[in-house]
PDB file of all heavy atoms in Angstrom:
ATOM      1  N   LEU V 161      -6.639  -8.804  20.261  1.00 94.00           N
ATOM      2  CA  LEU V 161      -5.742  -9.821  19.609  1.00 94.00           C
ATOM      3  C   LEU V 161      -5.968 -11.225  20.281  1.00 94.00           C
ATOM      4  O   LEU V 161      -5.946 -12.272  19.614  1.00 94.00           O
ATOM      5  CB  LEU V 161      -4.238  -9.464  19.522  1.00 94.00           C
ATOM      6  CG  LEU V 161      -3.887  -8.469  18.510  1.00 94.00           C
ATOM      7  CD1 LEU V 161      -2.494  -7.973  18.681  1.00 94.00           C
ATOM      8  CD2 LEU V 161      -4.042  -9.106  17.122  1.00 94.00           C
ATOM      9  N   CYS V 164      -9.258 -12.534  19.328  1.00 91.00           N
ATOM     10  CA  CYS V 164      -9.392 -12.986  17.921  1.00 91.00           C
ATOM     11  C   CYS V 164      -8.479 -14.194  17.603  1.00 91.00           C
ATOM     12  O   CYS V 164      -8.841 -14.867  16.611  1.00 91.00           O
ATOM     13  CB  CYS V 164      -8.802 -11.761  17.013  1.00 91.00           C
ATOM     14  SG  CYS V 164      -9.551 -11.719  15.431  1.00 91.00           S
ATOM     15  N   THR V 260      -3.296  -3.960  13.942  1.00 95.00           N
ATOM     16  CA  THR V 260      -4.464  -4.905  13.747  1.00 95.00           C
ATOM     17  C   THR V 260      -5.250  -4.893  15.128  1.00 95.00           C
ATOM     18  O   THR V 260      -6.483  -4.819  14.913  1.00 95.00           O
ATOM     19  CB  THR V 260      -3.855  -6.309  13.689  1.00 95.00           C
ATOM     20  OG1 THR V 260      -3.115  -6.371  12.514  1.00 95.00           O
ATOM     21  CG2 THR V 260      -5.001  -7.255  13.544  1.00 95.00           C
ATOM     22  N   LEU V 264      -9.135  -3.585  14.985  1.00 94.00           N
ATOM     23  CA  LEU V 264     -10.231  -4.473  15.498  1.00 94.00           C
ATOM     24  C   LEU V 264     -11.140  -3.745  16.402  1.00 94.00           C
ATOM     25  O   LEU V 264     -12.417  -3.929  16.375  1.00 94.00           O
ATOM     26  CB  LEU V 264      -9.618  -5.702  16.271  1.00 94.00           C
ATOM     27  CG  LEU V 264      -9.181  -6.879  15.376  1.00 94.00           C
ATOM     28  CD1 LEU V 264      -8.295  -7.781  16.296  1.00 94.00           C
ATOM     29  CD2 LEU V 264     -10.340  -7.538  14.839  1.00 94.00           C
ATOM     30  N   THR V 272     -17.805  -7.937   8.949  1.00 90.00           N
ATOM     31  CA  THR V 272     -16.883  -8.729   8.062  1.00 90.00           C
ATOM     32  C   THR V 272     -15.471  -8.527   8.390  1.00 90.00           C
ATOM     33  O   THR V 272     -14.636  -9.215   7.772  1.00 90.00           O
ATOM     34  CB  THR V 272     -17.084  -8.122   6.534  1.00 90.00           C
ATOM     35  OG1 THR V 272     -16.825  -6.728   6.469  1.00 90.00           O
ATOM     36  CG2 THR V 272     -18.693  -8.299   6.193  1.00 90.00           C
ATOM     37  N   PHE V 273     -15.102  -7.561   9.141  1.00 91.00           N
ATOM     38  CA  PHE V 273     -13.660  -7.308   9.398  1.00 91.00           C
ATOM     39  C   PHE V 273     -12.981  -8.376  10.315  1.00 91.00           C
ATOM     40  O   PHE V 273     -11.895  -8.810  10.000  1.00 91.00           O
ATOM     41  CB  PHE V 273     -13.524  -5.976  10.109  1.00 91.00           C
ATOM     42  CG  PHE V 273     -12.028  -5.515  10.236  1.00 91.00           C
ATOM     43  CD1 PHE V 273     -11.277  -5.225   9.197  1.00 91.00           C
ATOM     44  CD2 PHE V 273     -11.445  -5.552  11.503  1.00 91.00           C
ATOM     45  CE1 PHE V 273      -9.862  -4.886   9.243  1.00 91.00           C
ATOM     46  CE2 PHE V 273     -10.129  -5.212  11.667  1.00 91.00           C
ATOM     47  CZ  PHE V 273      -9.320  -4.906  10.460  1.00 91.00           C
ATOM     48  N   LYS V 274     -13.681  -8.756  11.407  1.00 91.00           N
ATOM     49  CA  LYS V 274     -13.051  -9.783  12.299  1.00 91.00           C
ATOM     50  C   LYS V 274     -12.839 -11.048  11.658  1.00 91.00           C
ATOM     51  O   LYS V 274     -11.666 -11.565  11.912  1.00 91.00           O
ATOM     52  CB  LYS V 274     -13.823  -9.966  13.549  1.00 91.00           C
ATOM     53  CG  LYS V 274     -13.185 -10.776  14.647  1.00 91.00           C
ATOM     54  CD  LYS V 274     -14.075 -10.797  15.970  1.00 91.00           C
ATOM     55  CE  LYS V 274     -13.316 -11.609  16.971  1.00 91.00           C
ATOM     56  NZ  LYS V 274     -14.136 -11.597  18.292  1.00 91.00           N
ATOM     57  N   PRO V 275     -13.702 -11.605  10.943  1.00 91.00           N
ATOM     58  CA  PRO V 275     -13.323 -12.958  10.125  1.00 91.00           C
ATOM     59  C   PRO V 275     -12.120 -12.753   9.343  1.00 91.00           C
ATOM     60  O   PRO V 275     -11.380 -13.672   9.150  1.00 91.00           O
ATOM     61  CB  PRO V 275     -14.618 -13.208   9.477  1.00 91.00           C
ATOM     62  CG  PRO V 275     -15.675 -12.546  10.246  1.00 91.00           C
ATOM     63  CD  PRO V 275     -15.146 -11.318  10.643  1.00 91.00           C
ATOM     64  N   GLU V 276     -11.933 -11.602   8.674  1.00 91.00           N
ATOM     65  CA  GLU V 276     -10.787 -11.354   7.755  1.00 91.00           C
ATOM     66  C   GLU V 276      -9.545 -11.437   8.520  1.00 91.00           C
ATOM     67  O   GLU V 276      -8.625 -12.005   8.053  1.00 91.00           O
ATOM     68  CB  GLU V 276     -11.001 -10.053   6.997  1.00 91.00           C
ATOM     69  CG  GLU V 276      -9.816  -9.654   6.165  1.00 91.00           C
ATOM     70  CD  GLU V 276      -9.519 -10.650   4.928  1.00 91.00           C
ATOM     71  OE1 GLU V 276     -10.343 -11.508   4.673  1.00 91.00           O
ATOM     72  OE2 GLU V 276      -8.476 -10.572   4.451  1.00 91.00           O
ATOM     73  N   VAL V 277      -9.599 -10.791   9.732  1.00 92.00           N
ATOM     74  CA  VAL V 277      -8.424 -10.746  10.649  1.00 92.00           C
ATOM     75  C   VAL V 277      -8.060 -12.111  11.075  1.00 92.00           C
ATOM     76  O   VAL V 277      -6.875 -12.503  11.164  1.00 92.00           O
ATOM     77  CB  VAL V 277      -8.651  -9.819  11.835  1.00 92.00           C
ATOM     78  CG1 VAL V 277      -7.535  -9.955  12.886  1.00 92.00           C
ATOM     79  CG2 VAL V 277      -8.762  -8.333  11.329  1.00 92.00           C
ATOM     80  N   ILE V 278      -9.115 -12.926  11.547  1.00 90.00           N
ATOM     81  CA  ILE V 278      -8.834 -14.246  11.870  1.00 90.00           C
ATOM     82  C   ILE V 278      -8.107 -15.081  10.859  1.00 90.00           C
ATOM     83  O   ILE V 278      -7.153 -15.798  10.951  1.00 90.00           O
ATOM     84  CB  ILE V 278     -10.109 -14.924  12.300  1.00 90.00           C
ATOM     85  CG1 ILE V 278     -10.612 -14.285  13.670  1.00 90.00           C
ATOM     86  CG2 ILE V 278      -9.943 -16.426  12.554  1.00 90.00           C
ATOM     87  CD1 ILE V 278     -12.009 -14.701  14.048  1.00 90.00           C
ATOM     88  N   ARG V 279      -8.653 -14.935   9.501  1.00 89.00           N
ATOM     89  CA  ARG V 279      -8.033 -15.604   8.465  1.00 89.00           C
ATOM     90  C   ARG V 279      -6.459 -15.187   8.252  1.00 89.00           C
ATOM     91  O   ARG V 279      -5.653 -15.973   8.087  1.00 89.00           O
ATOM     92  CB  ARG V 279      -8.798 -15.235   7.089  1.00 89.00           C
ATOM     93  CG  ARG V 279      -8.169 -15.970   5.934  1.00 89.00           C
ATOM     94  CD  ARG V 279      -8.774 -15.424   4.656  1.00 89.00           C
ATOM     95  NE  ARG V 279      -8.467 -14.056   4.416  1.00 89.00           N
ATOM     96  CZ  ARG V 279      -7.249 -13.792   3.954  1.00 89.00           C
ATOM     97  NH1 ARG V 279      -6.271 -14.708   3.599  1.00 89.00           N
ATOM     98  NH2 ARG V 279      -6.935 -12.499   3.680  1.00 89.00           N
ATOM     99  N   VAL V 280      -6.212 -13.896   8.380  1.00 90.00           N
ATOM    100  CA  VAL V 280      -4.839 -13.428   8.210  1.00 90.00           C
ATOM    101  C   VAL V 280      -3.968 -13.898   9.341  1.00 90.00           C
ATOM    102  O   VAL V 280      -2.871 -14.396   9.000  1.00 90.00           O
ATOM    103  CB  VAL V 280      -4.924 -11.821   8.281  1.00 90.00           C
ATOM    104  CG1 VAL V 280      -3.428 -11.311   8.330  1.00 90.00           C
ATOM    105  CG2 VAL V 280      -5.575 -11.308   6.979  1.00 90.00           C
ATOM    106  N   LEU V 281      -4.462 -14.060  10.489  1.00 89.00           N
ATOM    107  CA  LEU V 281      -3.589 -14.510  11.549  1.00 89.00           C
ATOM    108  C   LEU V 281      -3.441 -16.033  11.480  1.00 89.00           C
ATOM    109  O   LEU V 281      -2.301 -16.510  11.775  1.00 89.00           O
ATOM    110  CB  LEU V 281      -4.309 -14.220  12.931  1.00 89.00           C
ATOM    111  CG  LEU V 281      -4.468 -12.727  13.289  1.00 89.00           C
ATOM    112  CD1 LEU V 281      -5.150 -12.461  14.610  1.00 89.00           C
ATOM    113  CD2 LEU V 281      -3.080 -12.043  13.412  1.00 89.00           C
ATOM    114  N   GLN V 282      -4.356 -16.681  11.128  1.00 85.00           N
ATOM    115  CA  GLN V 282      -4.166 -18.110  10.861  1.00 85.00           C
ATOM    116  C   GLN V 282      -3.259 -18.422   9.719  1.00 85.00           C
ATOM    117  O   GLN V 282      -2.463 -19.395   9.780  1.00 85.00           O
ATOM    118  CB  GLN V 282      -5.557 -18.794  10.485  1.00 85.00           C
ATOM    119  CG  GLN V 282      -6.447 -18.911  11.653  1.00 85.00           C
ATOM    120  CD  GLN V 282      -7.894 -19.404  11.312  1.00 85.00           C
ATOM    121  OE1 GLN V 282      -8.325 -19.368  10.165  1.00 85.00           O
ATOM    122  NE2 GLN V 282      -8.597 -19.850  12.319  1.00 85.00           N
TER     123      GLN V 282
END
Side-chain angles (χ1 to χ4, degrees):
L161 281 171
C164 212
T260 298
L264 278 166
T272 60
F273 185 70
K274 187 172 181 179
E276 175 64 14
V277 170
I278 292 173
R279 182 192 65 77
V280 168
L281 294 177
Q282 289 173 341

